[in-house]
Every structure is written in C-alpha cells, then in structure tokens.
Amino acid sequence: MSIASSEELDAVFGLESEGDTPEERSLTSKREFVRSQHQISIRQPDAPGRWFRANEILRLFGWETLRVLAARPASPVLRRGADPVSDLRKQIDALGVSEGGVLSRANVSEVGKRALKSKSQVPFADLEKLAQHLSLDSDLLGLGSEQPEVSRLSVRLRTIGSGPRALSEASVLALAEAAWVIGRQHALQNMLEHPTYNWPHDPNSDYGSSMTPAWRVGQRLAELTRETLEVQPGAPIESMTRLLEERLNIPVVHVRLPKEFAGATIASGTLRGIVVNQHGANENVWVRRMTLAHELGHYLWDSQERLEQLVVDRHADLQSDYSNIHDPVEQRANSFAVEFLAPRTEAGDVYKSIVNSGSSGSEGIEAVMRQFNIGPGAASHHVRNELPQFEVPPGPQGLQPTDDIKGLEEFSVSFFDPNDVPESRRGRFARLVGEAHAAQLISDDTVAAYLSIPRDKVETALTFINTIQEATPSPS
C-alpha cells in the first residue's frame, strides 16, 4: 500500500483530524461519509443518504478507495460490471422466495420499490434492508465478493422451504434474517474485541447403538457440559438465556415462526447461532428453556455436517419422552436438554423426598418443575425414566413459571424501547450495537440500520440499551 501524504489525509479527513496514518486520522475526524448504490462521498450538511463515521468507512472500504476523495467528489465502490441489485436478485432466486415477499418483509420504501421496478438508482438504505432479510452482507453488495457461507446456507433454507414439511416463505425469510443477525453479532463481538469462549471439546459423532441408546449418550454429554462449565452438581441453571449469550457468547435470535416450531441451530460457515420461536409453546418460559437447552446440545456437540442439514425443531418432538423419539440426533439432543437443566439423580431425589413425606406424586412433579424450572411434560418423563419403580403421574398443566424466572429469561426481549425494534434485533445483539456506538465504531445511521428503526428513534434506543447494559451482570 502506498504511503498517504498529509495533503491527502487533510483533504479526506479534514484539517482538524490528527495523526500520520489513515487509521489515526479517521479516529479524530469529525467528517461523515455517505454511501449510495454506486459510490461513497464526503457527507455535506443535511445531505440525505446512508452515512458512516470516518473510521467506519475506512474499515469497510480501505484507504485506497477513500484517497480518491482527496481529488474527486466521489469514489466508486463497485467492481466493473458488478451491481448490488443483481446480487440481491441472485439471492432471492437461491432462497426460492418471491421478490414481492422480500420487499414487503424488509419494509422497502416506495421510492426504493419504484427504483427497482424502473431499474434506476435505489437508495442504499433500501438495498441494505433487503440484504439483511436475505442474509447478505450489505457491505459487500456490488463488490464482486463471493459469500460462500451464505450460498451454502441459502441452499439449506431453500430445502426447508419445499417438500411435505415445508416452511412458508415468511418463515424462510425469518430464518434468513436470523442468520444475518448471527453473522453481524459475531462481527460486532470481533470489532469490540470481546473474548471468544473456546469450547474445549470436539463435536461428538456418537448417536447411540444397540448397546447404548442415543438418549444415554445425550445424558453423558449433558454431564460433561455441566462439568466443563463448572456448574455445581445438581444445581439448577439460573438462566439459559444469560448462559448462552453472556457466558458462551452464542447469538440467540428470537423470531416469529408458525406455532408448531420451537427453534433451530444455524451454521453459516464457521459462524453458529441459535434461533428461538417466540410463538407457540415457547411463550411459556419453562418450554423456552428446554428449547434453548435442546439447541445448545446441537450447537456444542453436533458436527458441521449435521448442522448443514438445518433441521427446524418442532415442539411436539421436544416435549416427547426422549426415549421414544426415533431420530437418534433429536433423541440425543432432547435427552441432553432435560439432563442439562435437571440432572436425573437430583430430580429423582427431589421427587422421592416429596412423595416419601406423604405428599402426592403430582406435588412431587411440581417440586421438580419449581426446583429446575422445566415444564410438566419434561419433568414427568424425566422422573419416570429415572424412577421406573414409582407410579409417576403427568405434571400439573395449570402451573405457571414465577415472575422471577420470566424476568431472567425474557430480559430485554419481551420489552424494548422503542417497541418497533424487531425481536430478532433485541437482547445481546442490541447491547453490542449500543456498545459499538459508545466506542464510536459505528454511526447513528448504522444503529438505525442494525436495529431496523427510523433515525429519529435512535436516541431512545441507545438510552434504553444503556439502561439494560447497566442492569445486565457480567458473565461469571
């Protein structure tokens, strides 16, 4: 790379900026930059367009692109013959969805829709919205950069969008957006130099045999996981959400899918994350904890090849007795989930202590549910498998989780200010966005784009994020 002259640095970053390198100048520059469909330029007062901080635009495009602005009013960012709209339409085809469906879900402006139809210049903000809902990196649109991980994910999403158990177009697009959030969350963590939790074990290819059924393997993996995470033997898991997000740095994305679906583990290249449905049985926190634990079993222990299949788990399967599930992969994950949340020996001891004191079996199951914060089906199946000598009744169906456990698991997701921040962008993702903004790594416009809100609501969102940052304990 050629050396940047002081004259070039002054012209691009302004005379008030300081330093001898583009990186140093960008950190002290008060200038903002605008990207359109085809080029970037220095932002003029009150100019429209998608704008970035100086250090942000330098990080995205590099000095060789920015230095052109020392002599010209704009610098082209597209590779010759490349076009952002073509990239988007290729991805629409790859996912097997309709352009109209994507335009509607991404809330593209009327100006953007007309521009797409007339093949004229589309506002970059609209291109960015479309990219997010198609699981594309908007920074790479029109740059001729291949996104092989996204291509592989697209094939898997298209696969689950067809066939007898197909997901609807809206559900495929919800999962595609979730994949974008997962990828962007990993990028934010790297940008902020957050330490990555290094899981010390390799994936486990043992899904059972005639001698050792898959559910037994799942139990053993749950025991090893608790031991690795230094969870006290028999202790309940206080919050699955915080364990995944704060301790393990696993992106957890909340989406809206048909009620029968529980969750999924998404792998896009080496990046993984967990998707949880906010509809259906997961509205009960106990069920949602089981879903998260089930997906954690996939996330930690399934091989990349298994995750390449992208199975969307269903509530009916997760709430079944794990020993009766025919698919060994799901049987192992179900067994892992309940054993991780409620170690069988301790769950059995809780049940026996209640029943042996003269109380009913129903009260024994209620005690297990309360102790480990699991649902009635999971509690009764688990205790029945552990204590076959007991007549274990079904769990009480009317019992509800306490407000305390709801708060621990739903913190900053069920409620967010402003309310129009999508659930998929809440939780730890929003906190990372706020942290990156506070570190002056991203602009107000980027906050608006990442949280999918109008610019005039950014200040409200950042204030709320700051509040929940202060209320969120550091991971232990």
Side-chain angles (χ1 to χ4, degrees), residues 160 263-265 295 298 306-307 309-313 327 330:
I160 65 172
T265 298
E295 300 304 334
H298 285 312
R306 290 282 182 183
L307 291 180
Q309 299 172 21
L310 187 55
V311 174
V312 181
D313 295 306
D327 182 348
E330 296 307 303

Side-chain angles (χ1 to χ4, degrees), residues 29-34 41-44 51-54:
S29 175
K30 295 181 180 179
R31 283 188 172 171
E32 297 163 348
F33 295 77
V34 177
S41 58
I42 296 172
R43 185 183 184 220
Q44 302 303 316
W51 62 275
F52 299 83
R53 291 182 183 274

Side-chain angles (χ1 to χ4, degrees), residues 228-414:
T228 302
L229 296 177
E230 298 180 340
V231 180
Q232 291 297 316
I237 303 297
E238 183 182 50
S239 170
M240 278 300 301
T241 301
R242 291 186 180 176
L243 175 71
L244 269 61
E245 291 190 331
E246 308 296 337
R247 178 82 184 277
L248 299 178
N249 283 346
I250 298 173
V252 177
V253 184
H254 299 264
V255 300
R256 297 266 168 179
L257 295 172
K259 291 184 177 181
E260 67 267 24
F261 295 105
T265 298
I266 289 183
S268 180
T270 58
L271 304 181
R272 294 183 178 186
I274 289 173
V275 177
V276 180
N277 186 15
Q278 287 292 87
H279 269 171
N282 277 347
E283 293 174 13
N284 184 300
V285 168
W286 283 335
V287 178
R288 193 183 314 166
R289 281 166 57 86
M290 190 64 64
T291 297
L292 287 169
H294 178 100
E295 300 304 334
L296 180 63
H298 285 312
Y299 185 101
L300 295 178
W301 295 109
D302 283 355
S303 66
Q304 184 73 16
E305 290 74 22
R306 290 282 182 183
L307 291 180
E308 291 286 351
Q309 299 172 21
L310 187 55
V311 174
V312 181
D313 295 306
R314 298 170 186 256
H315 283 298
D317 296 332
L318 266 63
Q319 296 179 65
S320 300
D321 184 347
Y322 51 75
S323 62
N324 293 331
I325 298 174
H326 298 297
D327 182 348
V329 177
E330 296 307 303
Q331 185 184 95
R332 191 178 85 168
N334 255 21
S335 175
F336 171 93
V338 69
E339 181 68 18
F340 183 74
L341 290 173
R344 59 191 182 282
T345 301
E346 286 73 15
D349 289 344
V350 169
Y351 181 83
K352 285 188 293 185
S353 68
I354 297 298
V355 173
N356 291 339
S357 69
S359 298
S360 67
S362 181
E363 290 172 306
I365 293 298
E366 179 178 342
V368 173
M369 292 168 63
R370 293 291 189 198
Q371 174 72 16
F372 298 103
N373 284 303
I374 60 176
S380 60
H381 290 318
H382 198 40
V383 171
R384 191 176 297 120
N385 288 329
E386 175 63 15
L387 303 174
Q389 71 274 26
F390 281 75
E391 290 291 333
V392 180
Q397 297 298 313
L399 204 61
Q400 294 296 317
T402 63
D403 290 340
D404 286 346
I405 192 63
K406 288 180 182 178
L408 284 169
E409 298 293 5
E410 297 178 352
F411 186 72
S412 77
V413 173
S414 294

Side-chain angles (χ1 to χ4, degrees), residues 95-97 105 157 160-162 165-175 256-258 260-261:
L95 288 172
V97 295
R105 184 173 180 86
L157 287 173
I160 65 172
S162 60
R165 302 185 82 190
L167 289 179
S168 67
E169 177 178 89
S171 296
V172 171
L173 289 172
L175 289 171
R256 297 266 168 179
L257 295 172
E260 67 267 24
F261 295 105

